[in-house]
Amino acid sequence: MNRRHQAVTLAQASMESPTLARLSELVRDSSLRLKAVEPLIPPLLRSAIKAGPIDGPTWCLLVESNAAAAKLKQLLPALQAHLRSRGWEVTAIRLKVQTTNR
Protein backbone atom coordinates (compact mmCIF):
# COMPACT_ATOMS: atom_id res chain seq x y z
CA MET A 1 0.00 0.00 0.00
CA ASN A 2 1.46 3.33 -1.06
CA ARG A 3 0.54 6.32 1.07
CA ARG A 4 1.36 9.83 0.03
CA HIS A 5 1.88 12.29 2.81
CA GLN A 6 1.21 15.91 2.12
CA ALA A 7 2.51 18.66 4.30
CA VAL A 8 -0.13 20.81 5.95
CA THR A 9 0.23 24.12 7.68
CA LEU A 10 -0.29 24.47 11.41
CA ALA A 11 -3.47 26.43 10.73
CA GLN A 12 -4.85 23.62 8.55
CA ALA A 13 -3.93 20.98 11.12
CA SER A 14 -5.53 22.92 13.95
CA MET A 15 -8.76 23.35 11.98
CA GLU A 16 -8.96 19.61 11.42
CA SER A 17 -8.17 18.60 14.99
CA PRO A 18 -10.27 19.76 17.97
CA THR A 19 -7.31 19.21 20.30
CA LEU A 20 -4.96 21.34 18.22
CA ALA A 21 -7.67 23.96 17.74
CA ARG A 22 -8.09 24.24 21.52
CA LEU A 23 -4.33 24.43 22.03
CA SER A 24 -4.04 27.16 19.40
CA GLU A 25 -6.85 29.08 21.10
CA LEU A 26 -5.08 28.87 24.48
CA VAL A 27 -1.79 30.06 22.99
CA ARG A 28 -3.54 32.99 21.33
CA ASP A 29 -5.41 33.86 24.56
CA SER A 30 -2.21 33.72 26.61
CA SER A 31 -0.45 36.04 24.16
CA LEU A 32 -3.37 38.48 24.26
CA ARG A 33 -3.25 38.51 28.05
CA LEU A 34 0.44 39.34 28.05
CA LYS A 35 -0.13 42.10 25.50
CA ALA A 36 -2.92 43.51 27.71
CA VAL A 37 -0.74 43.72 30.84
CA GLU A 38 2.46 44.78 29.08
CA PRO A 39 1.92 48.52 29.77
CA LEU A 40 1.89 47.73 33.52
CA ILE A 41 5.29 46.00 33.35
CA PRO A 42 8.45 48.14 33.50
CA PRO A 43 10.00 48.38 30.01
CA LEU A 44 13.32 46.79 31.00
CA LEU A 45 11.49 43.79 32.49
CA ARG A 46 9.25 43.08 29.49
CA SER A 47 11.84 41.14 27.49
CA ALA A 48 12.34 38.72 30.41
CA ILE A 49 8.69 37.59 30.37
CA LYS A 50 6.86 35.24 28.03
CA ALA A 51 3.25 34.14 27.95
CA GLY A 52 2.79 30.70 29.47
CA PRO A 53 0.06 28.10 29.77
CA ILE A 54 -3.49 28.74 30.91
CA ASP A 55 -5.04 26.22 33.27
CA GLY A 56 -8.64 27.24 33.92
CA PRO A 57 -8.60 30.49 35.91
CA THR A 58 -4.83 30.24 36.49
CA TRP A 59 -2.40 31.81 34.06
CA CYS A 60 1.34 31.18 34.06
CA LEU A 61 4.06 33.60 33.05
CA LEU A 62 7.49 32.29 32.07
CA VAL A 63 10.26 34.45 33.51
CA GLU A 64 13.98 34.46 32.65
CA SER A 65 15.45 34.90 36.13
CA ASN A 66 14.72 34.86 39.83
CA ALA A 67 15.34 38.61 39.99
CA ALA A 68 12.77 39.29 37.28
CA ALA A 69 10.32 36.94 39.02
CA ALA A 70 10.79 38.75 42.34
CA LYS A 71 10.01 42.12 40.75
CA LEU A 72 7.09 40.71 38.77
CA LYS A 73 5.66 39.10 41.89
CA GLN A 74 5.12 42.60 43.31
CA LEU A 75 3.02 43.49 40.26
CA LEU A 76 0.79 40.40 40.26
CA PRO A 77 -2.21 41.95 42.09
CA ALA A 78 -2.28 44.85 39.59
CA LEU A 79 -1.87 42.52 36.60
CA GLN A 80 -4.65 40.27 37.85
CA ALA A 81 -7.01 43.19 38.50
CA HIS A 82 -6.27 44.62 35.05
CA LEU A 83 -7.05 41.30 33.37
CA ARG A 84 -10.32 40.95 35.29
CA SER A 85 -11.31 44.50 34.29
CA ARG A 86 -10.74 43.47 30.66
CA GLY A 87 -13.03 40.42 30.97
CA TRP A 88 -10.62 37.58 31.72
CA GLU A 89 -11.46 35.37 34.70
CA VAL A 90 -8.01 35.10 36.25
CA THR A 91 -7.95 34.04 39.89
CA ALA A 92 -4.19 33.46 40.03
CA ILE A 93 -1.04 34.17 38.07
CA ARG A 94 1.82 31.71 38.53
CA LEU A 95 5.43 32.54 37.75
CA LYS A 96 7.80 29.92 36.42
CA VAL A 97 11.47 30.73 36.17
CA GLN A 98 12.94 29.27 33.00
CA THR A 99 16.68 28.96 33.19
CA THR A 100 18.61 28.51 29.98
CA ASN A 101 21.92 26.72 29.75
CA ARG A 102 24.31 28.98 27.91
Side-chain angles (χ1 to χ4, degrees):
M1 172 161 59
N2 286 338
R3 291 179 60 184
R4 295 184 68 181
H5 296 281
Q6 279 193 312
V8 295
T9 66
L10 179 59
Q12 289 171 321
S14 67
M15 284 188 267
E16 294 173 10
S17 166
T19 303
L20 283 177
R22 177 70 180 137
L23 182 59
S24 293
E25 180 184 323
L26 288 171
V27 169
R28 192 171 30 259
D29 188 28
S30 185
S31 296
L32 288 172
R33 291 177 188 203
L34 182 57
K35 186 170 260 182
V37 298
E38 202 170 60
L40 303 175
I41 300 170
L44 293 175
L45 189 59
R46 291 176 190 163
S47 65
I49 303 166
K50 293 184 177 46
I54 298 171
D55 185 14
T58 302
W59 180 40
C60 181
L61 289 173
L62 308 175
V63 188
E64 276 185 8
S65 69
N66 288 326
K71 177 61 180 167
L72 192 58
K73 189 174 183 178
Q74 298 171 351
L75 301 173
L76 291 182
L79 300 181
Q80 203 171 323
H82 185 71
L83 288 170
R84 281 195 306 265
S85 75
R86 304 271 311 261
W88 279 289
E89 292 184 34
V90 178
T91 59
I93 299 174
R94 287 185 315 116
L95 302 178
K96 180 168 180 155
V97 177
Q98 299 245 295
T99 57
T100 56
N101 294 333
R102 294 181 186 189

Coordinates of all heavy atoms in Angstrom, one line a residue:
M1 N 0.8 -1.2 0.0 CA 0.0 0.0 0.0 C 0.9 1.2 0.0 O 1.7 1.4 0.9 CB -0.9 0.0 1.2 CG -1.6 1.3 1.4 SD -3.0 1.4 2.3 CE -3.1 1.0 3.8
N2 N 0.7 2.1 -1.0 CA 1.5 3.3 -1.1 C 0.6 4.5 -0.5 O -0.5 4.7 -0.9 CB 1.8 3.7 -2.5 CG 2.9 2.8 -3.0 OD1 3.7 2.2 -2.3 ND2 3.0 2.6 -4.4
R3 N 1.2 5.2 0.5 CA 0.5 6.3 1.1 C 1.3 7.6 0.7 O 2.6 7.6 0.9 CB 0.4 6.2 2.6 CG -0.5 5.1 3.0 CD -0.6 4.9 4.5 NE -1.1 6.1 5.1 CZ -1.2 6.4 6.3 NH1 -0.9 5.4 7.2 NH2 -1.7 7.5 6.8
R4 N 0.7 8.6 0.3 CA 1.4 9.8 0.0 C 1.0 10.8 1.1 O -0.1 11.0 1.5 CB 0.9 10.4 -1.3 CG 1.3 9.5 -2.5 CD 0.9 10.1 -3.7 NE 1.8 11.3 -3.9 CZ 1.7 12.0 -5.0 NH1 0.8 11.8 -5.9 NH2 2.4 13.1 -5.1
H5 N 2.1 11.3 1.7 CA 1.9 12.3 2.8 C 2.0 13.7 2.2 O 3.0 14.0 1.5 CB 2.9 12.1 3.9 CG 2.8 10.7 4.6 ND1 1.8 10.5 5.6 CD2 3.4 9.6 4.4 CE1 1.9 9.3 6.0 NE2 2.9 8.7 5.3
Q6 N 1.1 14.5 2.5 CA 1.2 15.9 2.1 C 1.4 16.8 3.3 O 0.8 16.6 4.4 CB -0.1 16.4 1.4 CG -0.1 15.9 0.0 CD -1.2 16.7 -0.7 OE1 -2.3 16.7 -0.3 NE2 -0.9 17.2 -1.9
A7 N 2.3 17.7 3.2 CA 2.5 18.7 4.3 C 1.3 19.6 4.4 O 0.7 20.0 3.5 CB 3.8 19.5 4.0
V8 N 0.9 19.9 5.7 CA -0.1 20.8 6.0 C 0.4 21.9 6.9 O 1.3 21.7 7.7 CB -1.4 20.1 6.6 CG1 -2.0 19.2 5.6 CG2 -1.0 19.5 7.9
T9 N -0.2 23.0 6.8 CA 0.2 24.1 7.7 C -0.3 23.9 9.1 O -1.3 23.1 9.3 CB -0.3 25.5 7.2 OG1 -1.7 25.5 7.2 CG2 0.2 25.8 5.7
L10 N 0.2 24.6 10.0 CA -0.3 24.5 11.4 C -1.8 24.9 11.5 O -2.6 24.3 12.2 CB 0.6 25.3 12.4 CG 0.1 25.3 13.8 CD1 0.1 23.9 14.4 CD2 1.0 26.2 14.6
A11 N -2.1 26.0 10.7 CA -3.5 26.4 10.7 C -4.4 25.4 10.2 O -5.5 25.1 10.7 CB -3.6 27.7 9.9
Q12 N -4.0 24.7 9.1 CA -4.8 23.6 8.5 C -5.0 22.5 9.5 O -6.1 22.0 9.7 CB -4.2 23.1 7.2 CG -4.3 24.1 6.1 CD -3.5 23.6 4.9 OE1 -2.4 23.0 5.1 NE2 -4.0 23.7 3.7
A13 N -3.9 22.1 10.2 CA -3.9 21.0 11.1 C -4.8 21.3 12.3 O -5.6 20.5 12.8 CB -2.5 20.6 11.6
S14 N -4.7 22.5 12.8 CA -5.5 22.9 13.9 C -7.0 23.0 13.6 O -7.8 22.7 14.5 CB -5.0 24.2 14.6 OG -5.3 25.3 13.7
M15 N -7.3 23.3 12.4 CA -8.8 23.3 12.0 C -9.3 21.9 11.9 O -10.5 21.7 12.1 CB -8.9 24.1 10.6 CG -8.8 25.6 10.7 SD -9.3 26.4 9.2 CE -7.7 26.5 8.4
E16 N -8.5 21.0 11.6 CA -9.0 19.6 11.4 C -8.9 18.8 12.7 O -9.5 17.7 12.8 CB -8.1 18.9 10.3 CG -8.3 19.5 9.0 CD -7.3 19.0 7.9 OE1 -6.6 18.0 8.2 OE2 -7.3 19.5 6.8
S17 N -8.3 19.3 13.7 CA -8.2 18.6 15.0 C -8.7 19.5 16.1 O -8.2 20.5 16.4 CB -6.7 18.3 15.3 OG -6.5 17.8 16.6
P18 N -9.7 19.0 16.8 CA -10.3 19.8 18.0 C -9.2 20.0 19.1 O -9.2 21.1 19.6 CB -11.4 18.9 18.5 CG -11.8 18.0 17.4 CD -10.5 17.8 16.6
T19 N -8.3 19.0 19.3 CA -7.3 19.2 20.3 C -6.3 20.3 19.9 O -6.0 21.2 20.7 CB -6.6 17.9 20.5 OG1 -7.5 16.9 20.9 CG2 -5.5 18.0 21.6
L20 N -5.9 20.3 18.7 CA -5.0 21.3 18.2 C -5.7 22.7 18.2 O -5.0 23.7 18.4 CB -4.4 21.0 16.9 CG -3.3 19.9 16.8 CD1 -2.8 19.6 15.4 CD2 -2.1 20.4 17.7
A21 N -6.9 22.7 17.8 CA -7.7 24.0 17.7 C -7.8 24.6 19.1 O -7.6 25.8 19.3 CB -9.1 23.7 17.2
R22 N -8.0 23.7 20.1 CA -8.1 24.2 21.5 C -6.7 24.8 22.0 O -6.6 25.8 22.6 CB -8.6 23.1 22.4 CG -8.7 23.5 23.9 CD -9.7 24.5 24.2 NE -9.8 24.8 25.6 CZ -9.9 26.1 26.1 NH1 -10.1 27.1 25.3 NH2 -9.9 26.3 27.4
L23 N -5.7 24.0 21.7 CA -4.3 24.4 22.0 C -4.0 25.8 21.4 O -3.4 26.7 22.0 CB -3.3 23.3 21.6 CG -1.9 23.6 22.0 CD1 -1.7 23.8 23.5 CD2 -1.0 22.5 21.5
S24 N -4.3 25.9 20.1 CA -4.0 27.2 19.4 C -4.8 28.3 20.0 O -4.3 29.4 20.2 CB -4.4 27.0 17.9 OG -3.6 26.1 17.3
E25 N -6.0 28.1 20.4 CA -6.9 29.1 21.1 C -6.2 29.5 22.4 O -6.2 30.7 22.7 CB -8.3 28.5 21.3 CG -9.2 29.5 22.0 CD -10.5 28.8 22.3 OE1 -11.0 28.0 21.5 OE2 -11.1 29.1 23.4
L26 N -5.7 28.5 23.2 CA -5.1 28.9 24.5 C -3.8 29.7 24.3 O -3.5 30.6 25.0 CB -4.8 27.6 25.3 CG -6.0 26.9 25.9 CD1 -5.6 25.5 26.4 CD2 -6.7 27.8 26.9
V27 N -3.0 29.3 23.3 CA -1.8 30.1 23.0 C -2.1 31.5 22.6 O -1.5 32.4 23.1 CB -1.0 29.4 21.9 CG1 0.1 30.2 21.4 CG2 -0.4 28.0 22.4
R28 N -3.1 31.7 21.8 CA -3.5 33.0 21.3 C -4.1 33.8 22.5 O -3.7 35.0 22.7 CB -4.6 32.9 20.2 CG -4.9 34.1 19.5 CD -5.9 33.9 18.3 NE -6.8 32.8 18.4 CZ -6.6 31.6 17.7 NH1 -5.5 31.4 17.0 NH2 -7.5 30.6 17.8
D29 N -4.9 33.2 23.4 CA -5.4 33.9 24.6 C -4.3 34.3 25.5 O -4.3 35.4 26.0 CB -6.4 33.0 25.3 CG -7.2 33.7 26.4 OD1 -7.3 34.9 26.3 OD2 -7.6 33.0 27.3
S30 N -3.3 33.4 25.7 CA -2.2 33.7 26.6 C -1.4 34.9 26.1 O -1.0 35.8 26.8 CB -1.3 32.5 26.8 OG -0.3 32.8 27.7
S31 N -1.2 34.9 24.8 CA -0.5 36.0 24.2 C -1.2 37.3 24.3 O -0.6 38.4 24.5 CB -0.2 35.7 22.7 OG 0.7 34.6 22.6
L32 N -2.5 37.3 24.1 CA -3.4 38.5 24.3 C -3.3 39.0 25.7 O -3.3 40.2 25.9 CB -4.8 38.2 23.8 CG -5.0 38.0 22.3 CD1 -6.5 37.5 22.1 CD2 -4.7 39.3 21.6
R33 N -3.3 38.1 26.7 CA -3.2 38.5 28.1 C -1.9 39.2 28.3 O -1.9 40.3 29.0 CB -3.4 37.3 29.0 CG -4.7 36.7 29.0 CD -4.7 35.4 29.9 NE -6.0 34.7 29.8 CZ -6.5 33.9 30.7 NH1 -5.8 33.7 31.8 NH2 -7.6 33.3 30.5
L34 N -0.9 38.7 27.8 CA 0.4 39.3 28.0 C 0.5 40.7 27.4 O 0.9 41.7 28.0 CB 1.6 38.5 27.5 CG 3.0 39.0 27.7 CD1 3.3 39.3 29.2 CD2 4.0 38.1 27.2
K35 N -0.1 40.8 26.2 CA -0.1 42.1 25.5 C -1.0 43.1 26.3 O -0.7 44.3 26.4 CB -0.7 41.9 24.1 CG -0.6 43.2 23.3 CD -1.0 42.9 21.8 CE 0.4 42.8 21.2 NZ 0.4 42.6 19.8
A36 N -2.0 42.6 26.9 CA -2.9 43.5 27.7 C -2.2 44.1 29.0 O -2.5 45.2 29.3 CB -4.2 42.8 28.1
V37 N -1.4 43.3 29.6 CA -0.7 43.7 30.8 C 0.6 44.4 30.6 O 1.2 44.9 31.5 CB -0.6 42.6 31.9 CG1 -2.0 42.1 32.3 CG2 0.3 41.5 31.4
E38 N 1.1 44.3 29.4 CA 2.5 44.8 29.1 C 2.7 46.2 29.5 O 3.7 46.6 30.0 CB 2.7 44.6 27.6 CG 4.2 44.6 27.2 CD 4.4 44.2 25.8 OE1 3.9 44.9 24.9 OE2 5.1 43.2 25.6
P39 N 1.7 47.1 29.3 CA 1.9 48.5 29.8 C 2.2 48.7 31.3 O 2.7 49.6 31.7 CB 0.6 49.2 29.4 CG 0.1 48.4 28.3 CD 0.4 47.0 28.6
L40 N 1.7 47.7 32.1 CA 1.9 47.7 33.5 C 3.3 47.2 34.0 O 3.6 47.4 35.1 CB 0.8 46.9 34.2 CG -0.6 47.3 33.9 CD1 -1.6 46.3 34.6 CD2 -0.9 48.7 34.4
I41 N 4.0 46.6 33.0 CA 5.3 46.0 33.4 C 6.4 47.0 33.0 O 6.4 47.5 31.9 CB 5.5 44.7 32.6 CG1 4.4 43.7 33.0 CG2 6.9 44.1 32.8 CD1 4.3 42.4 32.1
P42 N 7.4 47.2 33.8 CA 8.5 48.1 33.5 C 9.1 47.7 32.2 O 9.3 46.5 31.9 CB 9.4 48.0 34.7 CG 8.6 47.5 35.8 CD 7.5 46.7 35.2
P43 N 9.4 48.7 31.3 CA 10.0 48.4 30.0 C 11.2 47.4 30.0 O 11.3 46.6 29.2 CB 10.4 49.7 29.4 CG 9.4 50.7 30.1 CD 9.2 50.1 31.5
L44 N 12.1 47.6 31.0 CA 13.3 46.8 31.0 C 13.0 45.4 31.4 O 13.8 44.5 31.2 CB 14.4 47.4 31.9 CG 15.0 48.7 31.5 CD1 15.9 49.3 32.5 CD2 15.7 48.6 30.1
L45 N 11.9 45.1 32.0 CA 11.5 43.8 32.5 C 10.7 43.0 31.4 O 10.7 41.8 31.5 CB 10.7 43.9 33.8 CG 10.3 42.7 34.6 CD1 11.6 42.0 35.0 CD2 9.5 43.1 35.8
R46 N 10.1 43.7 30.5 CA 9.2 43.1 29.5 C 9.9 42.0 28.7 O 9.3 40.9 28.4 CB 8.7 44.1 28.5 CG 7.7 45.1 29.2 CD 7.3 46.1 28.3 NE 6.5 47.1 29.0 CZ 6.2 48.3 28.6 NH1 6.6 48.7 27.4 NH2 5.6 49.2 29.4
S47 N 11.2 42.2 28.3 CA 11.8 41.1 27.5 C 12.1 39.9 28.3 O 12.4 38.8 27.7 CB 13.1 41.7 26.9 OG 14.0 42.0 27.9
A48 N 12.0 39.9 29.6 CA 12.3 38.7 30.4 C 11.1 37.9 30.7 O 11.2 36.9 31.4 CB 12.9 39.2 31.7
I49 N 10.0 38.3 30.1 CA 8.7 37.6 30.4 C 8.1 37.1 29.1 O 8.0 37.8 28.1 CB 7.7 38.6 31.0 CG1 8.3 39.1 32.3 CG2 6.4 37.9 31.3 CD1 7.6 40.3 32.9
K50 N 7.6 35.8 29.2 CA 6.9 35.2 28.0 C 5.5 34.7 28.5 O 5.4 34.3 29.7 CB 7.7 34.1 27.4 CG 9.0 34.6 26.8 CD 9.7 33.4 26.1 CE 10.9 33.8 25.4 NZ 11.8 34.7 26.1
A51 N 4.6 34.7 27.6 CA 3.2 34.1 28.0 C 3.4 32.6 28.1 O 4.0 32.0 27.4 CB 2.3 34.5 26.8
G52 N 2.7 32.1 29.2 CA 2.8 30.7 29.5 C 1.4 30.1 29.4 O 0.5 30.7 28.9
P53 N 1.3 28.8 29.9 CA 0.1 28.1 29.8 C -1.1 28.7 30.6 O -0.9 29.3 31.6 CB 0.4 26.7 30.2 CG 1.7 26.8 31.0 CD 2.4 28.1 30.5
I54 N -2.3 28.4 30.2 CA -3.5 28.7 30.9 C -4.1 27.4 31.4 O -4.3 26.5 30.6 CB -4.5 29.5 30.0 CG1 -3.9 30.8 29.5 CG2 -5.8 29.7 30.7 CD1 -4.7 31.5 28.4
D55 N -4.4 27.4 32.7 CA -5.0 26.2 33.3 C -6.3 26.7 34.0 O -6.2 27.1 35.2 CB -4.1 25.5 34.2 CG -4.6 24.2 34.7 OD1 -5.6 23.7 34.2 OD2 -4.1 23.7 35.7
G56 N -7.4 26.7 33.3 CA -8.6 27.2 33.9 C -8.5 28.7 34.3 O -8.1 29.5 33.4
P57 N -8.7 29.1 35.5 CA -8.6 30.5 35.9 C -7.2 30.9 36.3 O -6.9 32.0 36.7 CB -9.5 30.6 37.1 CG -9.5 29.2 37.7 CD -9.3 28.3 36.6
T58 N -6.2 30.0 36.1 CA -4.8 30.2 36.5 C -4.0 30.4 35.2 O -4.1 29.6 34.3 CB -4.2 29.1 37.3 OG1 -5.0 28.9 38.5 CG2 -2.8 29.4 37.7
W59 N -3.3 31.5 35.2 CA -2.4 31.8 34.1 C -1.0 31.8 34.5 O -0.6 32.2 35.6 CB -2.8 33.2 33.5 CG -2.0 33.7 32.3 CD1 -1.6 32.9 31.3 CD2 -1.5 35.0 32.1 NE1 -0.9 33.7 30.4 CE2 -0.8 35.0 30.9 CE3 -1.6 36.2 32.8 CZ2 -0.3 36.1 30.3 CZ3 -1.0 37.3 32.2 CH2 -0.4 37.3 31.0
C60 N -0.1 31.3 33.7 CA 1.3 31.2 34.1 C 2.2 32.1 33.2 O 1.9 32.2 32.0 CB 1.8 29.7 33.9 SG 3.5 29.5 34.3
L61 N 3.1 32.8 33.8 CA 4.1 33.6 33.0 C 5.4 32.9 33.2 O 5.8 32.5 34.3 CB 4.1 35.0 33.6 CG 2.9 35.9 33.3 CD1 3.0 37.2 34.1 CD2 2.8 36.2 31.8
L62 N 6.1 32.9 32.1 CA 7.5 32.3 32.1 C 8.5 33.4 32.2 O 8.4 34.4 31.4 CB 7.7 31.5 30.8 CG 6.6 30.5 30.5 CD1 6.9 29.8 29.1 CD2 6.6 29.4 31.6
V63 N 9.4 33.3 33.2 CA 10.3 34.4 33.5 C 11.7 34.0 33.4 O 12.0 32.8 33.8 CB 10.0 35.0 34.9 CG1 10.7 36.2 35.2 CG2 8.5 35.2 35.1
E64 N 12.6 34.8 32.9 CA 14.0 34.5 32.7 C 14.8 34.2 33.9 O 15.8 33.5 33.9 CB 14.7 35.5 31.8 CG 14.5 35.4 30.3 CD 15.3 36.4 29.6 OE1 16.1 37.2 30.1 OE2 15.0 36.5 28.3
S65 N 14.6 35.0 35.0 CA 15.5 34.9 36.1 C 14.7 35.1 37.4 O 13.5 35.5 37.4 CB 16.5 36.0 36.0 OG 15.9 37.3 36.2
N66 N 15.3 34.7 38.5 CA 14.7 34.9 39.8 C 14.5 36.3 40.2 O 13.5 36.7 40.8 CB 15.6 34.2 40.9 CG 15.5 32.7 40.8 OD1 14.5 32.1 40.5 ND2 16.6 32.0 41.1
A67 N 15.5 37.2 39.7 CA 15.3 38.6 40.0 C 14.1 39.2 39.3 O 13.4 40.0 39.9 CB 16.6 39.3 39.6
A68 N 13.9 38.8 38.0 CA 12.8 39.3 37.3 C 11.5 38.8 37.9 O 10.5 39.5 38.0 CB 12.9 38.8 35.8
A69 N 11.5 37.5 38.4 CA 10.3 36.9 39.0 C 10.0 37.7 40.3 O 8.8 37.9 40.6 CB 10.5 35.5 39.3
A70 N 11.0 38.0 41.1 CA 10.8 38.8 42.3 C 10.1 40.1 42.1 O 9.2 40.5 42.8 CB 12.1 38.9 43.1
K71 N 10.6 40.8 41.1 CA 10.0 42.1 40.7 C 8.6 41.9 40.2 O 7.7 42.7 40.6 CB 10.9 42.8 39.7 CG 10.3 44.1 39.2 CD 10.2 45.1 40.4 CE 9.6 46.5 39.9 NZ 9.2 47.3 40.9
L72 N 8.4 41.0 39.4 CA 7.1 40.7 38.8 C 6.1 40.3 39.8 O 4.9 40.6 39.8 CB 7.2 39.7 37.7 CG 6.0 39.5 36.8 CD1 5.6 40.8 36.1 CD2 6.3 38.4 35.7
K73 N 6.5 39.6 40.8 CA 5.7 39.1 41.9 C 5.0 40.3 42.6 O 3.8 40.2 43.0 CB 6.5 38.3 42.9 CG 5.6 37.6 43.9 CD 6.5 36.7 44.8 CE 5.6 36.0 45.8 NZ 6.3 35.0 46.6
Q74 N 5.7 41.4 42.7 CA 5.1 42.6 43.3 C 4.0 43.2 42.5 O 3.1 43.9 43.0 CB 6.2 43.7 43.5 CG 7.3 43.2 44.4 CD 8.5 44.2 44.4 OE1 8.5 45.1 43.6 NE2 9.4 44.0 45.3
L75 N 4.0 42.9 41.2 CA 3.0 43.5 40.3 C 1.8 42.6 40.0 O 0.8 43.0 39.4 CB 3.7 43.8 38.9 CG 4.9 44.7 38.9 CD1 5.5 44.7 37.5 CD2 4.4 46.1 39.3
L76 N 1.9 41.4 40.5 CA 0.8 40.4 40.3 C -0.6 40.9 40.6 O -1.5 40.7 39.8 CB 1.1 39.1 40.9 CG 2.3 38.3 40.3 CD1 2.4 36.9 41.0 CD2 2.1 38.1 38.8
P77 N -0.8 41.5 41.8 CA -2.2 42.0 42.1 C -2.7 43.0 41.0 O -3.9 42.9 40.6 CB -2.1 42.6 43.5 CG -0.9 41.9 44.1 CD 0.0 41.7 43.0
A78 N -1.9 43.9 40.6 CA -2.3 44.9 39.6 C -2.5 44.2 38.2 O -3.5 44.5 37.5 CB -1.2 45.9 39.4
L79 N -1.7 43.2 37.9 CA -1.9 42.5 36.6 C -3.2 41.7 36.6 O -4.0 41.8 35.6 CB -0.7 41.6 36.3 CG 0.7 42.2 36.2 CD1 1.7 41.1 35.9 CD2 0.8 43.3 35.2
Q80 N -3.4 41.1 37.7 CA -4.7 40.3 37.9 C -5.9 41.2 37.8 O -6.9 40.8 37.1 CB -4.6 39.5 39.2 CG -5.4 38.3 39.3 CD -5.1 37.5 40.5 OE1 -4.0 37.5 41.0 NE2 -6.1 37.0 41.1
A81 N -5.9 42.3 38.5 CA -7.0 43.2 38.5 C -7.2 43.8 37.1 O -8.4 43.9 36.6 CB -6.8 44.3 39.5
H82 N -6.2 44.1 36.4 CA -6.3 44.6 35.1 C -6.9 43.6 34.1 O -7.8 43.9 33.3 CB -4.9 45.0 34.5 CG -4.9 45.7 33.2 ND1 -5.4 47.0 33.0 CD2 -4.5 45.3 32.0 CE1 -5.4 47.3 31.8 NE2 -4.8 46.3 31.1
L83 N -6.5 42.4 34.2 CA -7.1 41.3 33.4 C -8.5 41.1 33.7 O -9.3 41.0 32.7 CB -6.3 40.0 33.6 CG -4.9 40.0 33.0 CD1 -4.2 38.7 33.4 CD2 -4.9 40.0 31.4
R84 N -8.9 41.1 34.9 CA -10.3 41.0 35.3 C -11.1 42.1 34.7 O -12.3 41.9 34.3 CB -10.5 40.8 36.8 CG -10.1 39.4 37.3 CD -10.6 39.2 38.7 NE -10.2 40.2 39.6 CZ -9.1 40.1 40.4 NH1 -8.4 39.0 40.4 NH2 -8.8 41.1 41.2
S85 N -10.6 43.3 34.8 CA -11.3 44.5 34.3 C -11.5 44.4 32.8 O -12.4 45.1 32.2 CB -10.6 45.8 34.7 OG -9.4 46.0 33.9
R86 N -10.7 43.6 32.1 CA -10.7 43.5 30.7 C -11.5 42.2 30.3 O -11.6 41.9 29.1 CB -9.3 43.4 30.0 CG -8.4 44.5 30.3 CD -8.5 45.7 29.4 NE -8.4 45.4 28.0 CZ -7.3 45.5 27.2 NH1 -6.2 45.8 27.7 NH2 -7.4 45.2 25.9
G87 N -12.1 41.5 31.3 CA -13.0 40.4 31.0 C -12.5 39.0 31.2 O -13.2 38.0 31.0
W88 N -11.2 38.9 31.5 CA -10.6 37.6 31.7 C -10.9 37.2 33.2 O -10.7 37.9 34.1 CB -9.1 37.6 31.5 CG -8.7 37.5 30.0 CD1 -8.9 36.4 29.2 CD2 -8.1 38.5 29.2 NE1 -8.4 36.7 28.0 CE2 -7.9 38.0 27.9 CE3 -7.8 39.8 29.5 CZ2 -7.4 38.7 26.9 CZ3 -7.2 40.5 28.4 CH2 -7.0 40.0 27.2
E89 N -11.3 35.9 33.4 CA -11.5 35.4 34.7 C -10.2 34.7 35.2 O -9.9 33.6 35.0 CB -12.6 34.4 34.7 CG -13.9 35.0 34.4 CD -15.1 34.0 34.5 OE1 -15.0 33.1 35.4 OE2 -16.0 34.1 33.8
V90 N -9.3 35.6 35.8 CA -8.0 35.1 36.3 C -8.0 35.2 37.8 O -8.1 36.3 38.3 CB -6.9 36.0 35.7 CG1 -5.5 35.5 36.2 CG2 -6.9 35.9 34.2
T91 N -8.0 34.0 38.4 CA -7.9 34.0 39.9 C -6.5 34.0 40.4 O -6.3 34.3 41.6 CB -8.8 32.9 40.5 OG1 -8.2 31.6 40.0 CG2 -10.2 33.0 40.1
A92 N -5.6 33.6 39.6 CA -4.2 33.5 40.0 C -3.3 33.6 38.8 O -3.6 33.1 37.7 CB -3.9 32.1 40.8
I93 N -2.1 34.1 39.1 CA -1.0 34.2 38.1 C 0.2 33.5 38.7 O 0.7 33.9 39.7 CB -0.7 35.6 37.6 CG1 -1.9 36.3 37.0 CG2 0.5 35.6 36.6 CD1 -1.7 37.8 36.7
R94 N 0.6 32.4 38.1 CA 1.8 31.7 38.5 C 3.0 32.2 37.8 O 2.9 32.6 36.6 CB 1.7 30.2 38.3 CG 0.8 29.5 39.2 CD 0.8 28.0 39.0 NE 0.8 27.5 37.6 CZ 1.8 26.9 37.0 NH1 2.9 26.6 37.6 NH2 1.7 26.6 35.7
L95 N 4.2 32.2 38.4 CA 5.4 32.5 37.8 C 6.3 31.3 37.7 O 6.4 30.6 38.7 CB 6.1 33.7 38.5 CG 5.4 34.9 38.7 CD1 6.2 35.9 39.5 CD2 5.0 35.5 37.4
K96 N 6.9 31.0 36.5 CA 7.8 29.9 36.4 C 9.1 30.5 35.8 O 9.1 31.0 34.8 CB 7.2 28.9 35.5 CG 8.2 27.7 35.4 CD 7.5 26.5 34.7 CE 8.6 25.4 34.6 NZ 8.1 24.1 34.6
V97 N 10.2 30.3 36.6 CA 11.5 30.7 36.2 C 12.0 29.7 35.2 O 12.1 28.5 35.5 CB 12.4 31.0 37.4 CG1 13.8 31.4 36.9 CG2 11.9 32.0 38.3
Q98 N 12.4 30.1 34.0 CA 12.9 29.3 33.0 C 14.4 29.6 32.8 O 14.8 30.6 32.3 CB 12.2 29.5 31.7 CG 10.8 29.2 31.7 CD 10.4 28.1 30.8 OE1 10.6 28.2 29.6 NE2 10.0 27.0 31.4
T99 N 15.3 28.7 33.3 CA 16.7 29.0 33.2 C 17.1 28.3 31.9 O 16.7 27.3 31.5 CB 17.5 28.3 34.4 OG1 17.2 26.9 34.4 CG2 17.1 29.0 35.7
T100 N 18.1 29.0 31.2 CA 18.6 28.5 30.0 C 20.1 28.2 30.2 O 20.8 28.9 30.9 CB 18.5 29.5 28.8 OG1 19.1 30.7 29.2 CG2 17.0 29.8 28.5
N101 N 20.5 27.1 29.7 CA 21.9 26.7 29.8 C 22.7 27.4 28.6 O 22.4 27.1 27.5 CB 22.1 25.2 29.7 CG 21.5 24.5 30.8 OD1 21.4 25.1 31.9 ND2 21.0 23.3 30.6
R102 N 23.6 28.2 29.0 CA 24.3 29.0 27.9 C 25.7 28.5 27.9 O 26.4 28.1 28.7 CB 24.3 30.5 28.2 CG 22.9 31.0 28.0 CD 22.8 32.5 28.3 NE 21.4 32.9 28.3 CZ 21.1 34.1 28.3 NH1 22.0 35.1 28.3 NH2 19.8 34.4 28.2

